[in-house]
Amino acid sequence: MKYKFQQPVVIALLLFLFIITRLIIIYTSSNIYDEEACGIGNVANEILDGIKQPYYLYEHQLNYGNTLITPILLVPLFLIFGKSSLSLLLGGIIISGGILLMLYVLVRRFFSKRAALYASLLFIFSPPSYTIANLFVGHQHTHVALFILIALLFFFKFYFEEQKKKSS
């Protein structure tokens, strides 16, 4: 008898594999340091301790925007896990995990189960340099990729469901 995986089981296994690979990279790589993540962590610390100047002045790169959005995402992690590099790395892992989840849902819904599994595995086992860069909050703009995938999910849903309504 052939065992058929249910979608929540597949998603749980993919997320488990994703977390394990990221933890292996964190504990085996010597390149787990990012100056930009330190600046973002400082802004998140300022939010917790009380902002001493207008918020837009905390942007350390002109017209970048990322350095203003990402600290707000880090504040809950700082409250839960403390002000540490673990919180910065967990922020990157959570955002990348969201990308994995949205990628799987988008590809499975509009293409196929097999394509969703392959796309997810390619994301999980991406090249080490890309994976390490994705661990840092804000470095590769991973939150932007997450929001783009969410927007694509809504766009595909709207477009394809409208096509089905028009054809029937």
Side-chain angles (χ1 to χ4, degrees):
M1 182 165 94
K2 196 173 183 181
Y3 182 73
K4 187 174 181 179
F5 282 111
Q6 298 296 323
Q7 185 173 356
V9 173
V10 172
I11 291 173
L13 287 173
L14 287 172
L15 285 173
F16 177 75
L17 188 60
F18 169 78
I19 291 170
I20 292 297
T21 57
R22 291 331 185 242
L23 289 176
I24 289 171
I25 288 173
I26 287 172
Y27 289 113
T28 60
S29 177
S30 60
N31 299 324
I32 303 297
Y33 174 76
D34 184 33
E35 294 173 4
E36 186 175 335
C38 294
I40 290 170
N42 285 336
V43 175
N45 185 38
E46 283 283 318
I47 292 171
L48 287 175
D49 292 344
I51 296 177
K52 296 169 182 62
Q53 60 184 355
Y55 191 63
Y56 67 89
L57 292 177
Y58 285 101
E59 184 175 23
H60 68 270
Q61 293 176 339
L62 295 177
N63 300 320
Y64 197 53
N66 183 39
T67 55
L68 297 177
I69 295 170
T70 310
I72 295 170
L73 299 173
L74 283 178
V75 168
L77 293 173
F78 275 16
L79 290 172
I80 296 169
F81 298 107
K83 300 171 185 176
S84 66
S85 61
L86 174 67
S87 299
L88 293 171
L89 290 172
L90 280 177
I93 289 174
I94 289 170
I95 293 170
S96 294
I99 291 173
L100 174 65
L101 184 64
M102 285 295 112
L103 178 69
Y104 180 81
V105 169
L106 178 74
V107 175
R108 186 177 191 279
R109 182 166 184 171
F110 296 105
F111 298 98
S112 71
K113 291 178 189 177
R114 179 177 281 179
L117 184 64
Y118 288 151
S120 299
L121 289 174
L122 285 172
F123 181 77
I124 291 170
F125 297 112
S126 56
S129 58
Y130 173 77
T131 305
I132 290 170
N134 262 350
L135 288 174
F136 300 121
V137 173
H139 187 71
Q140 294 289 329
H141 304 285
T142 52
H143 61 283
V144 175
L146 175 63
F147 293 132
I148 288 172
L149 283 173
I150 293 170
L152 278 173
L153 182 67
F154 285 126
F155 174 74
F156 277 25
K157 182 179 177 183
F158 172 75
Y159 182 76
F160 287 119
E161 286 182 1
E162 286 296 317
Q163 293 294 332
K164 287 179 184 178
K165 287 178 185 177
K166 286 181 183 178
S167 65
S168 59

